[in-house]
Amino acid sequence: ARNELAVYYQPKVDLAGRIVGAEALIRWRHSELGMISPAKFIPLAEQSGLIIEIGEWVLEQTCLLVNECRTRGLGPLRISVNLSAIDFKRPGLVEKIAEILDKTGVDPSSIELELTESVTVGDIKACIGIMNRLKALGLTLSMDDFGTGFSSLSYIKDLPIDVLKLDQSFIHGLDAENSSRAIVRAILALADGSGLEAVAEGVENQSQLEFLKQHQCGIFQGYLFSRPIPSDDFLQLLIDSEKNGPTVQADVGPR
Ligand code: C2E
Ligand code: MG
Ligand code: MG
């Protein structure tokens, strides 16, 4: 109501450094407390039920941005939106999403939904049913934070997902831990063998990027390329990268 929420976008880049998409990440610019992390307020929004309204708003903003990119001849792009497990499980979710896609006239193949393993807690058959209906709308589905929590390898087999997002804790561990390197290699091999797209999140330095490239990861997201930025800045970044060649320079500015 106070207009303090904003959707930021963090670019995702391919092997050639081209921007192929982004992740929508919500921000709360509080008038007195400053910037509040979604890690703090999303759980509260889930408890209060406000997450439903927030989720719809983030999706709609993202559809409008995708349309704007298309009108300006930027892309092709696929932009992902995080879907809370509470939201995923509510009745009428698929109809509501279909309504937003319809209202905005967005091309659904430009929209990806990021789910976490918590959507599978409870009735797995019902979960698969909802996922199939979302895919029938033309949306892409990705499993966020893969490899953490209760995520089970059988999800790769049972769930109709298109993308595996490697959790950033493994990417950060690449610098120092043999175990993280082994886990990342194994997840990338699983994705490759199962025909899933792999996205690495939290890529912060060149050596992490090199390791990921060597092991068949195709899409990267992280501070090495860009922090999450307001939608106008994201549009400008797309315009600049189209003008100056495809490569996004590593972002070495302050965090
Ligand atoms: P997530 O979906 O796993 O998002 C990735 C988080 O990693 C983001 O944190 C992003 O800013 C951060 N990140 C990206 N690159 C790097 C990097 O190179 N290094 C490090 N250290 N961090 C990086 P953020 O924006 O604070 O969001 C936190 C979580 O809040 C998200 O995790 C997601 O679960 C949730 N969230 C954010 N926006 C939304 C939303 O619109 N709806 C829902 N339901 N959840 C959201
Ligand atoms: Mg995410
Ligand atoms: Mg994540």
Side-chain angles (χ1 to χ4, degrees), residues 10 23 25-27 37-38 42 51 58 82 84 114 144-145 168 172 201-204 222-223 228:
Q10 186 176 36
E23 177 175 11
L25 292 159
I26 197 166
R27 296 288 177 265
S37 161
I42 291 288
I51 191 65
V58 172
N82 292 283
S84 150
E114 295 193 9
D144 201 359
D145 306 336
Q168 50 180 286
H172 298 159
E201 114 185 335
V203 183
E204 291 185 349
Y223 294 164

Side-chain angles (χ1 to χ4, degrees), residues 8-11 222-229 251-255:
Y8 278 37
Y9 294 88
Q10 186 176 36
Y223 294 164
L224 178 63
F225 300 102
S226 171
R227 281 156 285 155
I229 49 180
D251 172 15
V252 288
R255 301 283 168 255

Side-chain angles (χ1 to χ4, degrees), residues 52 56 59 83 86-100 130 133-134 137:
I52 289 177
E56 287 170 5
L59 177 61
L83 193 62
I86 306 273
D87 219 350
F88 183 87
K89 289 178 182 179
R90 70 162 161 131
L93 167 84
V94 181
E95 288 78 4
K96 189 69 214 184
I97 290 182
E99 189 188 313
I100 294 170
I130 296 170
R133 289 176 61 211
L134 291 170
L137 295 177

Side-chain angles (χ1 to χ4, degrees), residues 80-209:
S80 60
V81 170
N82 292 283
L83 193 62
S84 150
I86 306 273
D87 219 350
F88 183 87
K89 289 178 182 179
R90 70 162 161 131
L93 167 84
V94 181
E95 288 78 4
K96 189 69 214 184
I97 290 182
E99 189 188 313
I100 294 170
L101 298 178
D102 203 43
K103 184 167 87 177
T104 57
V106 76
D107 173 359
S109 70
S110 299
I111 302 286
E112 176 176 320
L113 298 179
E114 295 193 9
L115 312 171
T116 55
E117 43 82 22
S118 49
V119 300
T120 61
V121 174
D123 187 347
I124 182 94
K125 272 213 181 113
C127 164
I128 293 172
I130 296 170
M131 291 174 88
N132 280 327
R133 289 176 61 211
L134 291 170
K135 278 185 63 102
L137 295 177
L139 300 166
T140 300
L141 299 185
S142 95
M143 188 52 78
D144 201 359
D145 306 336
F146 187 77
T148 62
F150 301 100
S151 49
S152 147
L153 292 180
S154 65
Y155 292 166
I156 293 182
K157 181 166 70 68
D158 299 334
L159 301 180
I161 45 174
D162 308 289
V163 181
L164 280 188
K165 268 195 110 171
L166 282 80
D167 188 64
Q168 50 180 286
S169 59
F170 303 129
I171 310 301
H172 298 159
L174 288 178
D175 295 330
E177 297 162 8
N178 277 330
S179 57
S180 283
R181 284 191 282 268
I183 291 168
V184 168
R185 271 199 304 267
I187 297 179
L188 290 173
L190 274 172
D192 189 40
S194 314
L196 299 174
E197 192 178 276
V199 178
E201 114 185 335
V203 183
E204 291 185 349
N205 62 47
Q206 205 64 40
S207 68
Q208 293 165 351
L209 180 64

Side-chain angles (χ1 to χ4, degrees), residues 34-69:
M35 201 71 120
I36 303 178
S37 161
K40 278 199 179 148
F41 72 84
I42 291 288
L44 293 172
E46 287 180 334
Q47 277 172 34
S48 68
L50 259 181
I51 191 65
I52 289 177
E53 218 177 306
I54 290 177
E56 287 170 5
W57 180 73
V58 172
L59 177 61
E60 186 168 335
Q61 294 299 306
T62 300
C63 293
L64 295 174
L65 178 66
V66 165
N67 286 347
E68 167 117 31
C69 291

